[in-house]
Amino acid sequence: METTKLPPSSPSSPTTSFSVPSAEKVDGFPRRSMRRARQRRSHSSSQFRYQSSQVELTPLPLLKDAPVAELHDLFCKKLQQCCVLFDFLDCVADLKGKEIKRAALNELVESVATSRGVLIEPLYPEAIKMISVNIFRTLPPSENPEFDPEEDEPTLEASWPHLQLVYEFFLRFLESPDFQPSMAKRYVDQKFVLQLLELFDSEDPREREYLKTILHRVYGKLLGLRAYIRKQINNIFLRFIYETEHFNGVAELLEILGSIINGFALPLKAEHKQFLVRVLIPLHTAKSLSIFHAQLAYCVVQFMEKDATVTEYIIRGLLKYWPKTCTQKEVMFLGEIEEILDVIEPSQFIRVQEPLFKQIAACISSPHFQVAERALYFWNNEYILSLIEENCQVILPLVFATLYRVSKEHWNQTIVSLIYNVLKTFMEMNSKLFDDLTASYKVLVLVSLQQRYGAVYTQAHNIHTLISEQEYL
Amino acid sequence: MFGAVNALGEALVCQALHRGVKTQQRRREGPAAALLWQKPRSAAQQRHSVTAILSKMAGADGDDSLYPIAVLIDELRNEDVQLRLNSIKKLSTIALALGVERTRTELLPFLTDTIYDEDEVLLALAEQLGNFTMLVGGPEYVHCLLPPLESLATVEETVVRDKAVESLRKISQEHSPVDLEVHFEPLVKRLASGDWFTSRTSACGLFSVCYPRVSSTVKAEIRQHFRTLCSDDTPMVRRAAASKLGEFAKVLELDYVKSDIISLFTALASDEQDSVRLLAVEACVSIATLLPQEDLETLVMPTLRQAAEDKSWRVRYMVADKFSELQKAVGPEITKNDLVPAFQNLLKDCEAEVRAAAANKVKEFCENLPEDSREQIIMTHILPCVKELVSDTNQHVKSALASVIMGLSTILGKDNTIEHLLPLFLAQLKDECPEVRLNIISNLDCVNEVIGIRQLSQSLLPAIVELAEDAKWRVRLAIIEYMPLLAGQLGVEFFDEKLNTLCMAWLIDHVYAIREAATCNLMKLVEKFGAEWAQNTIVPKVLGMANDPNYLHRMTTLFCINALSEACGQDITTKQMLPVVLKMSNDQVANVRFNVAKSLQKIGPVLDSNALQTEVKPVLEKLATDTDMDVKYFAQEAISVLALA
């Protein structure tokens, strides 16, 4: 095989092979409007199929009425009862059973949250089993193969009425003062965490929100799993960047990482630096950057605040992946650069100023006014301005020609006036340098004009001579 | 050799010219020194190295024509990515100019150092190096290409890495067995034990190309490395290994397939990640093909059965998607006993994705069933599932089925088709989703062969009419494309009676693409039914549109004439069409007039020279003096093409 085929493992890819009807394919462009017009059910669940035969549930006595001696036994029975799964796509099926399970889950949540001494060792495997049975499932294929989280409505999980309570229970369980990591770690193991991470691909934002908090608690309480969790998140990101470009939970995972990075010990381990350079920075190349950019930028800045020496890697990395055609992403990159410059150390700034300001100059001359505007806003930031002032000798020559040229020819008046302000600032900073640059720029323009048109002038002159000679003859 | 270099140099002179000034300056910059391809870190040093090349080259043969090459080399370092890219794409020219020796000692080490470049440049480089064997001195020296390709095989970007692996696979064939062991195999080992997952992923693709040509001790090492990668800690590497498992199995000795590959296959097929498991399904096809029939049951089938019932729909989807291949690989007996029930389950799967993939395979699966029991299996096991799929809730499933279901009629024969399939076809022809109907109509030819299309015509007509008037123009376009086929099968009378009006109505559709397709459709119909038919049924209607108040419709007349003139022949064209065209040259809309000129140019070759001279020429001459510049242009063009000037 000459090319490595990407596994059709993302929920979207298998669909593409047949989802575009031939009638729409006629001109090769499946039309968005048509795809949307298609009938769509907004709920989906692949949970139900694993149940072999349906069990009839009978209500158990209430936990609060149970004598202390029987409490644990009843708790256990309720957990077992909650292992039964229901078909939520058929909303009228087994309503009685669904209600019994919902009530049981509610009781379990309340009991874990409020009463002390409930969580004893024998309950751990039962609780984790109940959680696993309910939440771990292969996520269904996406309803919309080209799901765009920014524009399309997400498909919601149909079994949410139960699922939410299970997540709630899990969260209370982890947060309970009685929770003993030493007991839990036997059941919340690597395999469990891996499955938990896979669920972050859920299209349902409510589910991802719960998962985020839960994973955060697991990371905080089960120290033995930390390295493993970080490694698996790495794998998810790398697969997202280089294989599928599809994973719904990137933003949530980054949010967790933001606080993980915050807690890194100094000096940074090689593993963490590698994570920054080989995972976080390349994440900027993703097509769907806008969905998780805020969280990503936060992580990046966290790294810098931890250890200023990574600044150069970060800035050079961003410059390497600078968007070439997508102006929307360019604006995001500029935003991130500003966040970085906000906390940059002056000594680090000097190391990157040259390539950085070449890029900023390129942005200022962008015909897209939002890009130019975003870049010019840097001059409104006092800290950045102070950095520029300190290094005026280097920076002004880098941007001067662009500023001068764009001030004369940009189509957008706001940009022109912003540029005048910037030029004014520079003039006040260092009028001598400014004048020198103005003078040499004018010479340069003349020279280039001459180069460009010189040949034409010569030719014109020759023709003129020729004509006059002929006339003379 | 030098002749070639000079010729090349000359060819590139023009390229050098527009950079002349710079090059000239550099040329004057004085004597050369030092080594050429050292990593210059500053611009000054950079220029220095170019100067060095220049003077060295010029000194060597006293020939200025090598300067363009130096410019190319210089551009390898240019700040502009596009220039670097252009230069990399001309790498073979540079290498040819440098000669094999200097390519090996200077160019390749230099390229090995540029690996930090943009991915785009690296991709081009990786591709180029795959064709470099002759440029470094032939198979004897091919191993010189390994260092740069090795670095490229470790970069992050997947396309670059894949291209590097592709090139490595290519040049591995050019290694002698000794070189393969001395140079190539160590590289594979280094990649396989790399720190970062990228190099290990690349290694997966290289085992199978070196395995057949190395000694048995090295073979054992290779097998060991492959085993290690199959249980790698990162899923990316396991996926790469799983995707190469089938390919690797093919080059292994049968004993090792049984002892090594099967256990790896089983392990990958039960990996914790479904993205790995589904790739094992692909490997299953190759592995099953390699094994003798008697071993399949014990070695492959347990895993395959498990995959067909995997809890992840992605794995089941893969099984459905590969079903025909699997069926061929395991043979008729296992198919009868195992695959038939598995296929039934896939057709009834709870995920629409899986059902659609399986529905797509219905015809192929049935075709490949063993002949002795084919009909019985289809009738008792497959057809009941198919019947259910006809009324599936998901339209993708139905349309996947509709695209293959007609094929069953040839397998089942006339009687079964009429009794069992026909009701299904009719049901699908009435489906609410246009795509389903379209898929049925587009495959009518299969049924026609078995039972004749007449059986369907009663239901066919309403379906066609409805599609022909669908609100979506893409649907209308699709049905137009099937018109010639339908016309051929339904016959001329049926067509005249029922479909002719539709075909004419499309000519005045408000979407240009439809009018255009309708024009083309008419031409195909005339080719099918003949000129006489055209003269009686189509031509009068087309020509009638020449007087339409809407200029778009008048233009359609011209487009139809363009399309029909050849099929209709000289007589009809001259007597009926030409007068209309000529009359339209007085149209008040310029677009019509210049289309008259274009039409005349188009139908000119069909006309006789008399008509051309006496009728066409005056009109074109008149149009050539039109006030509209486009009309003038096309009239003049027609005059010159028809040689009437």
Side-chain angles (χ1 to χ4, degrees), chain B residues 20 22 52 86 91 257 302 347 367 378 469 479 499 530 542 553 620:
Chain B
K22 256 185 168 176
N86 290 343
L91 207 55
V257 173
L347 288 173
E367 247 170 12
I378 297 176
E469 289 162 357
I479 188 76
L499 301 179
V542 166
H553 297 172
L620 281 177

Side-chain angles (χ1 to χ4, degrees), chain A residues 1 9 14-15 17-18 21 23 26-27 31 34 38 50 138-139 141 231 235 239 242-243 278, chain B residues 156 158 162 166 169 196 233 235 239 247 272 311 313-314 317 350-351 353 395-396 435 472 474 477:
Chain A
M1 212 161 78
S9 45
T15 343
S17 57
F18 66 87
V26 170
D27 59 357
R31 289 198 313 177
M34 289 188 115
R38 255 185 242 149
Y50 313 118
T138 307
L139 295 167
K231 198 170 76 184
N235 288 343
R239 180 167 176 223
Y242 295 112
E243 294 183 11
R278 304 194 113 157
Chain B
E156 242 88 11
T158 326
D162 287 350
E166 192 184 317
R169 288 168 68 111
W196 192 240
D233 179 45
R239 279 195 285 275
E247 174 190 293
E272 59 193 8
K311 69 175 161 55
W313 62 269
R314 295 185 192 104
Y317 170 87
C350 66
E351 284 301 344
E353 243 77 354
Q395 62 163 12
H396 302 308
E435 194 190 327
K472 298 182 185 114
R474 280 152 218 262
L477 187 61

Side-chain angles (χ1 to χ4, degrees), chain B residues 52-342:
Chain B
I53 296 169
L54 287 168
S55 45
K56 258 199 171 182
M57 281 181 165
D61 53 10
D63 183 359
D64 277 5
S65 63
L66 281 177
Y67 287 115
I69 298 290
V71 173
L72 273 182
I73 296 168
D74 195 20
E75 280 183 6
L76 283 176
R77 296 181 179 283
N78 197 294
E79 258 189 40
D80 184 346
V81 185
Q82 199 52 47
L83 290 180
R84 291 206 300 276
L85 201 56
N86 290 343
S87 196
I88 283 282
K89 285 182 177 158
K90 295 204 184 83
L91 207 55
S92 53
T93 311
I94 299 176
L96 202 57
L98 286 173
V100 293
E101 169 109 33
R102 295 180 66 192
T103 300
R104 287 198 301 268
T105 55
E106 296 168 20
L107 184 61
L108 287 178
F110 164 73
L111 291 172
T112 314
D113 288 339
T114 42
I115 302 297
Y116 58 85
D117 207 328
E118 296 258 341
D119 292 333
E120 227 177 323
V121 178
L122 298 183
L123 177 67
L125 179 58
E127 185 171 11
Q128 291 276 318
L129 290 178
N131 303 316
F132 243 57
T133 311
M134 290 323 287
L135 297 168
V136 292
E140 206 182 325
Y141 294 100
V142 66
H143 60 85
C144 300
L145 297 171
L146 296 179
L149 281 171
E150 180 175 354
S151 318
L152 288 167
T154 61
V155 302
E156 242 88 11
E157 181 49 54
T158 326
V159 282
V160 176
R161 225 164 53 215
D162 287 350
K163 191 55 92 181
V165 171
E166 192 184 317
S167 288
L168 279 170
R169 288 168 68 111
K170 208 167 177 183
I171 64 168
S172 73
Q173 304 306 325
E174 281 146 3
H175 281 72
S176 68
V178 176
D179 279 349
L180 208 61
E181 283 194 27
V182 177
H183 299 287
F184 198 87
E185 203 268 342
L187 169 145
V188 178
K189 268 197 258 178
R190 276 195 303 277
L191 287 175
S193 44
D195 279 341
W196 192 240
F197 79 96
T198 51
S199 70
R200 303 201 297 278
T201 312
S202 294
C204 292
L206 297 174
F207 294 120
S208 64
V209 290
C210 51
Y211 189 85
R213 296 171 60 214
V214 292
S215 67
S216 56
T217 35
V218 179
K219 279 183 174 176
E221 282 173 32
I222 292 179
R223 286 195 305 273
Q224 180 52 44
H225 277 291
F226 192 79
R227 257 200 303 276
T228 316
L229 293 184
C230 281
S231 53
D232 196 277
D233 179 45
T234 68
M236 287 78 85
V237 177
R238 293 203 303 278
R239 279 195 285 275
S243 70
K244 300 292 176 196
L245 183 65
E247 174 190 293
F248 189 55
K250 281 185 196 157
V251 299
L252 244 60
E253 297 80 358
L254 186 60
D255 283 345
Y256 291 120
V257 173
K258 288 188 198 173
S259 60
D260 282 30
I261 295 289
I262 294 296
S263 63
L264 297 175
F265 167 62
T266 319
L268 290 168
S270 47
D271 194 275
E272 59 193 8
Q273 303 226 339
D274 58 2
S275 54
V276 179
R277 295 201 298 275
L278 66 89
L279 290 168
V281 174
E282 258 188 312
C284 185
V285 177
S286 330
I287 295 172
T289 323
L290 295 170
L291 292 174
Q293 190 69 32
E294 64 270 20
D295 290 330
L296 285 177
E297 181 51 44
T298 50
L299 298 180
V300 175
M301 286 316 290
T303 312
L304 182 57
R305 274 186 216 114
Q306 176 195 320
E309 289 172 2
D310 197 282
K311 69 175 161 55
S312 164
W313 62 269
R314 295 185 192 104
V315 179
R316 301 197 303 277
Y317 170 87
M318 199 60 161
V319 174
D321 196 48
K322 297 277 166 226
F323 217 83
S324 308
E325 288 94 325
L326 288 167
Q327 182 186 9
K328 281 182 200 139
V330 298
E333 278 314 304
I334 296 182
T335 297
K336 267 193 264 182
N337 301 332
D338 275 279
L339 294 195
V340 172

Side-chain angles (χ1 to χ4, degrees), chain A residues 194-293:
Chain A
L194 186 66
Q195 288 173 282
L196 196 68
L197 284 167
E198 277 175 4
L199 290 175
F200 275 83
D201 195 21
S202 168
E203 230 175 81
D204 193 330
R206 303 168 300 183
E207 180 165 21
R208 295 201 304 270
E209 192 60 31
Y210 264 111
L211 286 165
K212 184 180 75 188
T213 325
I214 286 170
L215 185 66
H216 204 172
R217 297 287 173 274
V218 171
Y219 191 88
K221 303 214 170 184
L222 299 168
L223 307 188
L225 285 171
R226 286 186 172 183
Y228 183 79
I229 291 175
R230 287 198 306 269
K231 198 170 76 184
Q232 294 309 325
I233 293 180
N234 267 1
N235 288 343
I236 288 175
F237 284 166
L238 288 168
R239 180 167 176 223
F240 169 75
I241 302 167
Y242 295 112
E243 294 183 11
T244 60
E245 282 224 26
H246 179 97
F247 193 83
N248 289 316
V250 176
E252 283 81 3
L253 290 176
L254 282 170
E255 213 176 314
I256 300 171
L257 281 167
S259 56
I260 292 179
I261 295 166
N262 208 342
F264 281 164
L266 284 173
L268 286 179
K269 284 194 216 160
E271 178 214 322
H272 301 324
K273 281 190 186 165
Q274 192 180 51
F275 169 67
L276 171 69
V277 176
R278 304 194 113 157
V279 182
L280 281 188
I281 300 294
L283 263 179
H284 287 86
T285 60
K287 205 168 71 183
S288 51
L289 178 69
S290 60
I291 298 157
F292 54 84
H293 181 252

Side-chain angles (χ1 to χ4, degrees), chain B residues 565-566 569-579 582 600-618 620 642-644:
Chain B
S565 63
E566 207 167 319
Q570 198 186 51
D571 196 45
I572 299 179
T573 308
T574 316
K575 288 196 181 131
Q576 300 188 15
M577 296 178 178
L578 184 61
L582 295 175
L600 289 173
Q601 181 185 331
K602 181 95 199 241
I603 65 173
V606 186
L607 302 169
D608 62 47
S609 60
N610 186 29
L612 272 179
Q613 288 298 334
T614 58
E615 298 181 66
V616 175
K617 193 178 172 188
L620 281 177
L642 295 173
L644 293 173

